[in-house]
Amino acid sequence: MGLSQQVKADLTRLGERIQKTFLAIKAELPEKAKTIGGFARYLDYNRSNSQRFFTACKASDGLQVLVELPGLQALVLMQQKLTPLIPAPLLKQLKQVTDLFEQCLNQHASSHAQLKRMLSTAKQKTQNTTHGDDHKAQLYYAAKSLLRFSVEEVFCIYILRENKATPAFLQEVALISKSGIKREAGAVPFVQFYTHPNPDNFTQPLNISQQSRLETNLFTIGVSEEYSTPGFLNAFSTFSPSNSGLVFDPLPSDSCDATFVVNNPDEVMNPLNQNSPCSSTSLSIKNPTKAMTMLVLIEKQIDKCSTVNIGCYHNNQKVEDGKLKASDMWTERFPEFPELKISQTTDNLAHFQLQQDHKEKLRYLLDIAQVDIEDYICYSTHVNFPIWSSTYRIYFEHQ
């Protein structure tokens, strides 16, 4: 019998919680104990289990942590070995996650080996999401009815590359396209949020066209002329300096399209230049939305030193200085498992599994940002009925 969505969510949270504890333990150890051999010698601990400890620290998701970590007896022994070496609160945390792991085995498997087989099988099978989509669809239609506001589709692209002008940061270029925006009388205005503080001289979004070019070191947010309903930019009403939101009210028609282009030069730390363990891109579902497609293009040289992870959470916690990692967010994770795919970037996007209008928008952003897609790896995800008021986040955790 396969694992249910809820069980997978619980196991994923447990794995991320264990990984967070392991990483905290690793940080407390002296430098001589931060390698597999050094850890084994320092604790007088089995080398194979030492390797499992470090492999679990580097695992790309919570389920993989449960596959890689030492077995139950080895965890209990590690706890005993660490007792005089780490602070009491951290030792208590290790005992808690060890007890939870034991409960997990008692509840779901007869042994660690059987649990690993179950998790491997779950990863190999194509997940049947019909039941989950039914519930998400119910939430979508209920929220749409309640709020009198909906979006047919959100398509977004994020490009992460080194900022040549300011090497401490990555340059993040984004296109966020919302199709079929429907707002009934009495609903809240349409607001486009973003994370970067507004410059002192900011007054309104720019008009962006195919001929526009983004300046590497200048924060920019604008409305695409080609991919927005005529008159949409003229509907700009005001902006909120406190939470970086553009307000458009009233909208020019009953069903609008709006595409935004953002250039963010100084928020995402550069892992090739700074000690940044994690970079992240995220999309918050502020309005009931029927479908979401998200692409993240990351420079190959950054991707080489990174592992990628995806999750759905019920808040949009800011990734301050690149410190927030997937394992830190186990308390926020929803039982939602978007599939993350790697897409080919060669042959002029011929192999991209995207509908034609999405390809056109991608080419549009590449032109404006003056980006050669051959230098990038592309990760993508598609979600039907993304959970309203949640945040979908793709992490790159750096080695």
Side-chain angles (χ1 to χ4, degrees), residues 21-29 53 78 82 86 90 94:
T21 303
F22 279 11
L23 290 170
I25 290 170
K26 181 181 173 184
E28 284 289 332
L29 298 175
F53 171 84
M78 185 174 73
L82 285 168
I86 61 175
L90 186 53
L94 176 59

Side-chain angles (χ1 to χ4, degrees), residues 87 152-153 169 193 213:
E152 190 71 15
E153 181 193 44
F169 295 97
F193 293 98
R213 294 296 180 265

Side-chain angles (χ1 to χ4, degrees), residues 20-306:
K20 181 175 174 63
T21 303
F22 279 11
L23 290 170
I25 290 170
K26 181 181 173 184
E28 284 289 332
L29 298 175
E31 286 300 318
K32 64 181 181 180
K34 292 185 179 180
T35 64
I36 294 170
F39 187 84
R41 289 189 296 273
Y42 186 67
L43 295 185
D44 186 23
Y45 190 58
N46 178 275
R47 184 180 177 88
S48 176
N49 287 324
S50 298
Q51 182 175 357
R52 287 183 172 279
F53 171 84
F54 283 93
T55 305
C57 285
K58 295 179 180 179
S60 61
D61 59 63
L63 296 180
Q64 193 62 31
V65 172
L66 297 182
V67 170
E68 302 293 353
L69 87 171
L72 182 60
Q73 290 183 346
L75 282 176
V76 172
L77 179 59
M78 185 174 73
Q79 181 183 314
Q80 294 170 0
K81 298 283 188 180
L82 285 168
T83 297
L85 303 174
I86 61 175
L90 186 53
L91 189 66
K92 180 181 178 182
Q93 192 174 328
L94 176 59
K95 184 179 186 308
Q96 286 177 338
V97 296
T98 302
D99 291 344
L100 289 171
F101 180 59
E102 182 177 15
Q103 293 173 23
C104 162
L105 292 179
N106 291 336
Q107 186 173 358
H108 300 296
S110 59
S111 66
H112 190 196
Q114 187 188 23
L115 179 65
K116 288 193 282 188
R117 287 193 296 271
M118 291 170 62
L119 294 176
S120 297
T121 301
K123 284 197 170 187
Q124 290 169 3
K125 286 183 177 179
T126 302
Q127 191 177 2
N128 183 354
T129 59
T130 304
H131 185 64
D133 277 357
D134 285 347
H135 288 300
K136 292 193 297 175
Q138 291 171 21
L139 175 61
Y140 164 77
Y141 287 112
K144 176 182 177 181
S145 176
L146 176 67
L147 301 177
R148 291 181 284 182
F149 201 125
S150 66
V151 177
E152 190 71 15
E153 181 193 44
V154 175
F155 172 66
C156 60
I157 309 164
Y158 297 91
I159 300 174
L160 294 176
R161 62 180 173 182
E162 279 198 283
N163 187 328
K164 302 300 184 183
T166 311
F169 295 97
L170 297 179
Q171 182 186 9
E172 179 187 42
V173 179
L175 178 144
I176 302 168
S177 186
K178 299 182 177 181
S179 305
I181 303 167
K182 295 181 180 179
R183 176 184 176 272
E184 298 178 20
V188 296
F190 175 81
V191 183
Q192 179 59 42
F193 293 98
Y194 48 100
T195 59
H196 195 284
N198 290 313
D200 292 338
N201 60 349
F202 182 85
T203 56
Q204 64 180 35
L206 300 178
N207 182 41
I208 301 289
S209 72
Q210 183 77 54
Q211 288 70 43
S212 300
R213 294 296 180 265
L214 301 176
E215 294 186 35
T216 301
N217 232 27
L218 181 66
F219 168 71
T220 306
I221 183 166
V223 174
S224 166
E225 183 179 301
E226 291 85 350
Y227 293 106
S228 301
T229 296
F232 185 84
L233 182 57
N234 294 332
F236 173 70
S237 174
T238 185
F239 69 96
S240 171
S242 60
N243 63 1
S244 297
L246 304 176
V247 181
F248 296 83
D249 185 45
L251 297 180
S253 65
D254 293 338
S255 181
C256 285
D257 298 337
T259 297
F260 299 87
V261 175
V262 183
N263 182 45
N264 180 1
D266 55 8
E267 274 199 308
V268 183
M269 303 297 289
N270 181 1
L272 302 180
N273 183 274
Q274 304 288 313
N275 183 21
S276 173
C278 183
S279 303
S280 172
T281 58
S282 65
L283 179 69
S284 293
I285 306 300
K286 298 289 189 180
N287 309 114
T289 301
K290 202 168 188 179
M292 176 199 82
T293 300
M294 184 176 181
L295 305 184
V296 180
L297 279 69
I298 185 168
E299 271 188 316
K300 290 178 180 178
Q301 58 183 340
I302 304 171
D303 182 71
K304 284 179 182 177
C305 67
S306 308

Side-chain angles (χ1 to χ4, degrees), residues 2-19:
L3 298 174
S4 68
Q5 283 278 87
Q6 187 57 57
V7 170
K8 283 183 69 176
D10 290 342
L11 294 178
T12 299
R13 289 192 194 99
L14 174 59
E16 290 176 348
R17 187 173 178 181
I18 291 172
Q19 186 181 58

